[in-house]
């Protein structure tokens, strides 16, 4: 289940990609399949070990084209272990809402992104997230949980202040908003509640079968209740300085 829409965020074979806060690796795997040179970075060592296993399995199965590479590594988003201008593409999906120093993370992403490079940022959308917070303290008052709710214009402003040039945005995963509202209403750790179990089956069916009816429904509902806000931006080239 991808949050970044690669039809709006073009990726070329050979692009060097950083998936920052990669989690289980869903975007990193897609970039690898598209022929990129991928670095998946996360502070969670257990998840990174799993991502590395999946990279190896994908290589063994021939899922990645010739020339594609994939590395999984532990790291700190506020102190990235890469030189300036190391990547053509940076993706950070559902991460910034967890980090107190979000401006510091943006600064690090801009530092390692090449001039002319592209960045995709996704965060929980303001409206659906406010409902979750209102229904359940346990949803967000946990170690490593969500510490802020972004409004779209606030995130775009912070991206511009970091030196990025936003060029597009959209909402995603409308069908997932009701699921999380149910989870919050019945208890975020209560997977046995009948409405939660029933809706989870619907989501699994949608992911596995990709039926037209849910695709159309989600496209129609995304502008209204899309769970995620997705913003795309470029890092401008430095102005040319004519030699005297």
């Amino acid at each position: 289940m991808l949050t970044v829409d690669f039809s709006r965020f073009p990726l070329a074979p050979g692009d060097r990609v950083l998936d920052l806060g990669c989690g289980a690796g869903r975007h990193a795997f897609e970039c690898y399949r598209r022929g990129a040179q991928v670095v998946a970075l996360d502070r969670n060592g257990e998840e990174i070990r799993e991502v590395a296993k999946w990279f190896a399995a994908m290589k063994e199965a021939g899922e990645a084209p010739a020339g594609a590479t994939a590395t999984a590594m532990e790291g700190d988003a506020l102190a990235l272990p890469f030189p300036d201008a190391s990547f053509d593409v940076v993706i950070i999906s559902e991460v910034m809402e967890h980090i107190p120093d979000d401006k510091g993370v943006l600064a690090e992403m801009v530092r390692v992104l090449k001039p002319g490079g592209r960045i995709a940022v996704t965060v929980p959308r303001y409206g659906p997230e406010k409902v979750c917070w209102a229904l359940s303290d346990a949803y967000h008052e946990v170690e490593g949980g969500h510490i802020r709710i972004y409004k779209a214009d606030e995130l775009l402003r912070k991206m511009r202040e970091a030196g990025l040039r936003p060029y597009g945005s959209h909402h995603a995963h409308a069908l997932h908003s009701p699921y999380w509202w149910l989870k919050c209403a019945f208890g975020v750790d209560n997977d046995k509640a009948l409405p939660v179990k029933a809706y989870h089956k619907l989501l699994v069916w949608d992911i596995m079968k990709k039926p037209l009816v849910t695709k159309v429904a989600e496209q129609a509902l995304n502008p209204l209740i899309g769970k995620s806000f997705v913003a795309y931006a470029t890092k401008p080239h430095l102005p040319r300085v004519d030699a005297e």
Side-chain angles (χ1 to χ4, degrees):
M1 184 188 73
L2 299 174
T3 307
V4 172
D5 181 352
F6 287 94
S7 69
R8 310 181 193 219
F9 189 67
L11 193 68
D15 276 350
R16 186 161 168 79
V17 178
L18 173 63
D19 185 0
L20 181 56
C22 64
R26 58 201 173 102
H27 289 107
F29 300 149
E30 180 65 19
C31 293
Y32 189 31
R33 291 188 186 97
R34 290 171 178 261
Q37 298 175 8
V38 184
V39 176
L41 184 144
D42 200 285
R43 64 183 299 179
N44 187 317
E46 184 176 342
E47 287 197 308
I48 282 298
R49 287 187 287 274
E50 284 299 310
V51 170
K53 290 178 184 178
W54 278 104
F55 278 151
M58 291 172 66
K59 182 177 181 180
E60 182 71 19
E63 289 190 39
T69 62
T71 303
M73 61 185 294
E74 289 185 57
D76 182 353
L78 290 165
L80 295 174
F82 311 112
D84 297 355
S86 296
F87 295 93
D88 302 290
V89 173
V90 177
I91 296 171
I92 184 166
S93 183
E94 311 300 302
V95 173
M96 288 181 56
E97 67 276 9
H98 296 273
I99 301 176
D101 186 9
D102 58 346
K103 290 184 179 180
V105 173
L106 279 167
E108 272 293 88
M109 289 191 290
V110 171
R111 180 184 68 79
V112 301
L113 187 65
K114 295 178 181 178
R118 304 173 303 286
I119 188 167
V121 181
T122 91
V123 297
R125 184 183 186 177
Y126 183 82
E129 187 76 346
K130 285 286 284 186
V131 174
C132 288
W133 282 45
L135 289 172
S136 171
D137 290 337
Y139 170 80
H140 63 97
E141 290 182 357
V142 295
E143 184 178 357
H146 298 185
I147 62 170
R148 70 173 65 82
I149 307 176
Y150 287 100
K151 290 185 176 180
D153 57 355
E154 174 195 3
L155 178 62
L156 293 172
R157 174 179 55 77
K158 288 185 175 183
M159 292 172 69
R160 292 187 184 98
E161 289 173 352
L164 295 167
R165 185 176 295 160
Y167 68 83
S169 65
H170 62 91
H171 301 100
H173 308 318
L175 295 182
H176 288 251
S177 289
Y179 173 71
W180 281 102
W181 297 339
L182 288 170
K183 288 271 287 182
C184 290
F186 286 93
V188 290
D189 296 320
N190 181 11
D191 293 326
K192 295 182 179 180
L194 184 59
V196 175
K197 289 175 65 176
Y199 203 99
H200 184 262
K201 287 183 179 179
L202 169 66
L203 293 179
V204 172
W205 173 73
D206 175 50
I207 292 170
M208 298 302 294
K209 300 298 184 180
K210 299 179 174 61
L212 179 61
V213 62
T214 53
K215 181 179 179 180
V216 171
E218 186 152 78
Q219 287 176 345
L221 291 171
N222 273 337
L224 301 173
I225 60 168
K227 183 73 170 68
S228 295
F229 174 69
V230 189
Y232 305 108
T234 59
K235 178 179 177 178
H237 287 278
L238 293 175
R240 284 183 53 184
V241 178
D242 295 330
E244 293 184 6

